[in-house]
Amino acid sequence: MLEEEYNPRRRLPAHLKPPPPVEPEFAFEIRDATSRDIPYMLEIYNHYVANSTVTFDEDPLTLKEMRAKFAAVHKLGYPWLVAVSPSRQILGYAYVLPWKPKAAYRFTVENSIYLGAAATGKGLGTALMGELLPRAKAAGVKEVIAVIADRGAEASIAMHERFGFSRIGHMGKVGFKFGRWLGTVLMQKSLK
Protein backbone atom coordinates (compact mmCIF):
# COMPACT_ATOMS: atom_id res chain seq x y z
CA MET A 1 0.00 0.00 0.00
CA LEU A 2 0.99 3.57 -0.61
CA GLU A 3 1.78 5.96 2.18
CA GLU A 4 -1.16 8.22 1.12
CA GLU A 5 -3.53 5.36 1.86
CA TYR A 6 -2.26 5.10 5.44
CA ASN A 7 -1.96 8.83 6.04
CA PRO A 8 -4.55 10.90 4.24
CA ARG A 9 -3.33 14.23 3.00
CA ARG A 10 -3.75 16.98 5.57
CA ARG A 11 -5.95 19.94 4.72
CA LEU A 12 -5.39 23.46 5.90
CA PRO A 13 -8.09 24.96 8.08
CA ALA A 14 -10.05 27.72 6.36
CA HIS A 15 -8.36 30.53 8.30
CA LEU A 16 -4.92 29.37 7.06
CA LYS A 17 -5.85 29.00 3.39
CA PRO A 18 -4.70 31.82 1.12
CA PRO A 19 -7.55 34.00 -0.11
CA PRO A 20 -8.79 33.33 -3.63
CA PRO A 21 -7.25 35.59 -6.24
CA VAL A 22 -9.12 38.83 -6.66
CA GLU A 23 -10.61 39.27 -10.09
CA PRO A 24 -9.36 42.54 -11.56
CA GLU A 25 -11.92 45.32 -11.71
CA PHE A 26 -13.57 45.71 -15.09
CA ALA A 27 -12.27 49.04 -16.31
CA PHE A 28 -12.59 50.86 -19.60
CA GLU A 29 -12.40 54.24 -21.26
CA ILE A 30 -14.74 55.47 -23.98
CA ARG A 31 -13.25 57.50 -26.83
CA ASP A 32 -13.89 58.36 -30.45
CA ALA A 33 -13.13 55.45 -32.77
CA THR A 34 -10.29 55.81 -35.25
CA SER A 35 -9.53 53.98 -38.47
CA ARG A 36 -6.95 51.89 -36.55
CA ASP A 37 -9.83 50.41 -34.51
CA ILE A 38 -11.71 49.08 -37.54
CA PRO A 39 -10.15 45.57 -37.68
CA TYR A 40 -10.95 45.02 -33.99
CA MET A 41 -14.52 46.29 -34.37
CA LEU A 42 -14.90 44.05 -37.41
CA GLU A 43 -13.83 41.03 -35.35
CA ILE A 44 -16.48 41.82 -32.72
CA TYR A 45 -19.18 42.34 -35.34
CA ASN A 46 -18.38 39.17 -37.28
CA HIS A 47 -18.62 37.15 -34.05
CA TYR A 48 -22.29 38.21 -33.90
CA VAL A 49 -22.80 37.44 -37.58
CA ALA A 50 -21.56 33.88 -37.07
CA ASN A 51 -23.04 33.15 -33.65
CA SER A 52 -26.21 35.13 -33.04
CA THR A 53 -29.34 36.69 -34.41
CA VAL A 54 -28.43 40.12 -33.01
CA THR A 55 -27.63 41.04 -36.61
CA PHE A 56 -29.50 39.62 -39.56
CA ASP A 57 -26.31 39.62 -41.64
CA GLU A 58 -25.47 36.06 -42.63
CA ASP A 59 -22.11 36.69 -44.28
CA PRO A 60 -19.17 38.21 -42.42
CA LEU A 61 -18.51 41.83 -43.21
CA THR A 62 -15.25 42.48 -45.03
CA LEU A 63 -12.67 44.98 -43.89
CA LYS A 64 -13.48 47.07 -46.97
CA GLU A 65 -17.20 47.14 -46.07
CA MET A 66 -16.51 48.10 -42.46
CA ARG A 67 -14.14 50.86 -43.57
CA ALA A 68 -16.81 52.21 -45.93
CA LYS A 69 -19.42 52.25 -43.14
CA PHE A 70 -16.99 53.96 -40.77
CA ALA A 71 -16.10 56.57 -43.41
CA ALA A 72 -19.79 57.28 -44.15
CA VAL A 73 -20.59 57.83 -40.46
CA HIS A 74 -17.49 59.98 -39.99
CA LYS A 75 -18.31 62.09 -43.09
CA LEU A 76 -21.77 62.88 -41.68
CA GLY A 77 -20.23 64.01 -38.39
CA TYR A 78 -22.06 61.36 -36.40
CA PRO A 79 -20.48 59.70 -33.36
CA TRP A 80 -18.71 56.35 -33.53
CA LEU A 81 -17.31 55.39 -30.13
CA VAL A 82 -15.14 52.58 -28.81
CA ALA A 83 -14.64 51.30 -25.28
CA VAL A 84 -11.07 50.28 -24.57
CA SER A 85 -9.54 48.42 -21.65
CA PRO A 86 -6.53 49.76 -19.73
CA SER A 87 -4.38 47.48 -21.94
CA ARG A 88 -5.91 49.26 -25.02
CA GLN A 89 -8.00 46.26 -26.14
CA ILE A 90 -11.25 47.19 -27.91
CA LEU A 91 -14.10 45.89 -25.72
CA GLY A 92 -17.04 47.23 -27.70
CA TYR A 93 -18.28 50.04 -29.90
CA ALA A 94 -21.34 52.14 -30.65
CA TYR A 95 -22.42 54.39 -33.50
CA VAL A 96 -25.38 55.93 -35.25
CA LEU A 97 -26.06 55.97 -38.96
CA PRO A 98 -28.87 57.36 -41.10
CA TRP A 99 -32.18 55.54 -40.63
CA LYS A 100 -33.04 55.81 -44.33
CA PRO A 101 -31.21 57.36 -47.31
CA LYS A 102 -34.00 59.78 -48.31
CA ALA A 103 -33.39 63.44 -47.46
CA ALA A 104 -36.52 63.81 -45.34
CA TYR A 105 -35.05 61.33 -42.83
CA ARG A 106 -31.89 63.41 -42.35
CA PHE A 107 -32.53 64.03 -38.62
CA THR A 108 -33.29 60.39 -37.81
CA VAL A 109 -30.67 57.72 -37.14
CA GLU A 110 -30.45 54.09 -36.11
CA ASN A 111 -28.17 53.23 -33.22
CA SER A 112 -25.95 50.16 -32.95
CA ILE A 113 -23.94 48.81 -30.01
CA TYR A 114 -21.74 45.71 -30.17
CA LEU A 115 -19.70 44.31 -27.30
CA GLY A 116 -16.90 41.78 -27.25
CA ALA A 117 -18.06 38.45 -25.84
CA ALA A 118 -16.05 38.84 -22.61
CA ALA A 119 -17.38 42.37 -22.03
CA THR A 120 -21.11 41.61 -21.92
CA GLY A 121 -23.16 41.88 -18.75
CA LYS A 122 -20.80 44.37 -17.11
CA GLY A 123 -22.53 47.67 -17.84
CA LEU A 124 -20.47 48.50 -20.91
CA GLY A 125 -23.48 48.77 -23.24
CA THR A 126 -25.11 51.19 -20.82
CA ALA A 127 -21.94 53.28 -20.64
CA LEU A 128 -21.66 53.41 -24.44
CA MET A 129 -25.32 54.40 -24.82
CA GLY A 130 -24.85 57.10 -22.18
CA GLU A 131 -22.08 58.65 -24.28
CA LEU A 132 -23.67 57.99 -27.68
CA LEU A 133 -26.99 59.79 -27.19
CA PRO A 134 -25.62 63.21 -26.12
CA ARG A 135 -23.04 63.10 -28.90
CA ALA A 136 -25.74 62.23 -31.45
CA LYS A 137 -27.83 65.15 -30.21
CA ALA A 138 -24.82 67.47 -30.52
CA ALA A 139 -24.43 66.27 -34.13
CA GLY A 140 -27.97 67.44 -34.94
CA VAL A 141 -29.85 64.16 -34.50
CA LYS A 142 -33.49 64.57 -33.43
CA GLU A 143 -34.78 60.97 -33.41
CA VAL A 144 -33.04 57.66 -32.70
CA ILE A 145 -34.49 54.36 -33.88
CA ALA A 146 -33.44 51.00 -32.47
CA VAL A 147 -34.12 47.87 -34.49
CA ILE A 148 -33.68 44.89 -32.17
CA ALA A 149 -34.12 41.18 -32.85
CA ASP A 150 -37.25 39.90 -31.13
CA ARG A 151 -35.49 36.76 -29.82
CA GLY A 152 -32.46 36.64 -27.59
CA ALA A 153 -32.09 40.40 -27.21
CA GLU A 154 -34.07 40.99 -24.02
CA ALA A 155 -31.11 42.75 -22.36
CA SER A 156 -30.84 45.18 -25.28
CA ILE A 157 -34.56 45.95 -25.16
CA ALA A 158 -34.39 46.54 -21.39
CA MET A 159 -31.38 48.85 -21.76
CA HIS A 160 -33.11 50.91 -24.43
CA GLU A 161 -36.19 51.21 -22.19
CA ARG A 162 -33.97 52.48 -19.33
CA PHE A 163 -32.75 55.24 -21.67
CA GLY A 164 -36.30 56.31 -22.47
CA PHE A 165 -36.84 54.50 -25.76
CA SER A 166 -40.46 53.56 -26.40
CA ARG A 167 -41.63 50.50 -28.27
CA ILE A 168 -43.20 51.73 -31.48
CA GLY A 169 -43.73 48.47 -33.30
CA HIS A 170 -43.00 44.84 -33.88
CA MET A 171 -42.44 43.20 -37.22
CA GLY A 172 -42.73 39.43 -37.17
CA LYS A 173 -41.01 37.01 -39.51
CA VAL A 174 -39.05 39.62 -41.47
CA GLY A 175 -35.73 37.78 -41.27
CA PHE A 176 -34.65 34.17 -41.70
CA LYS A 177 -31.39 33.06 -40.12
CA PHE A 178 -30.07 29.78 -38.72
CA GLY A 179 -33.11 27.97 -40.11
CA ARG A 180 -35.74 29.99 -38.24
CA TRP A 181 -37.89 33.04 -38.76
CA LEU A 182 -37.08 36.17 -36.78
CA GLY A 183 -38.80 39.46 -36.16
CA THR A 184 -37.73 42.86 -34.94
CA VAL A 185 -38.81 45.17 -32.15
CA LEU A 186 -38.75 48.84 -33.14
CA MET A 187 -38.00 51.43 -30.48
CA GLN A 188 -37.66 55.21 -30.71
CA LYS A 189 -36.29 58.06 -28.61
CA SER A 190 -36.59 61.76 -29.26
CA LEU A 191 -33.49 63.85 -28.55
CA LYS A 192 -35.27 67.22 -28.90
Side-chain angles (χ1 to χ4, degrees), residues 95-156:
Y95 64 94
V96 297
L97 53 81
W99 165 240
K100 300 279 185 187
K102 295 178 181 171
Y105 292 113
R106 67 187 168 275
F107 298 110
T108 303
V109 298
E110 179 180 345
N111 72 314
S112 294
I113 298 176
Y114 292 96
L115 307 178
T120 61
K122 299 179 181 182
L124 183 58
T126 298
L128 281 165
M129 182 72 86
E131 286 283 325
L132 184 66
L133 293 176
R135 291 188 190 207
K137 183 176 182 177
V141 170
K142 304 296 182 207
E143 300 293 327
V144 182
I145 305 292
V147 182
I148 305 169
D150 66 356
R151 292 190 192 177
E154 292 79 11
S156 181

Side-chain angles (χ1 to χ4, degrees), residues 5 10 17-18 38 41-42 51 66 79 89-90 115 117 121 127 142 147 159 169:
E5 293 177 273
R10 289 185 4 184
K17 290 181 180 176
I38 294 172
M41 294 185 296
L42 179 64
N51 299 292
M66 187 67 132
Q89 177 186 3
I90 303 294
L115 307 178
K142 304 296 182 207
V147 182
M159 181 192 65

Side-chain angles (χ1 to χ4, degrees), residues 6 16 82 86 88 97 117 128 131 135 140 145-146 148 163 174 184:
Y6 291 112
L16 293 177
V82 292
R88 315 317 304 158
L97 53 81
L128 281 165
E131 286 283 325
R135 291 188 190 207
I145 305 292
I148 305 169
F163 276 94
V174 293
T184 57

Side-chain angles (χ1 to χ4, degrees), residues 1 35-36 51 53 75 86 88 93 119 121 142 158 182 192:
M1 293 186 105
S35 59
R36 291 185 313 273
N51 299 292
T53 57
K75 182 177 180 181
R88 315 317 304 158
Y93 64 96
K142 304 296 182 207
L182 302 163
K192 295 178 188 178

Side-chain angles (χ1 to χ4, degrees), residues 64-79:
K64 181 178 180 180
E65 290 168 328
M66 187 67 132
R67 283 186 173 136
K69 184 184 287 192
F70 182 80
V73 170
H74 187 68
K75 182 177 180 181
L76 291 168
Y78 289 155

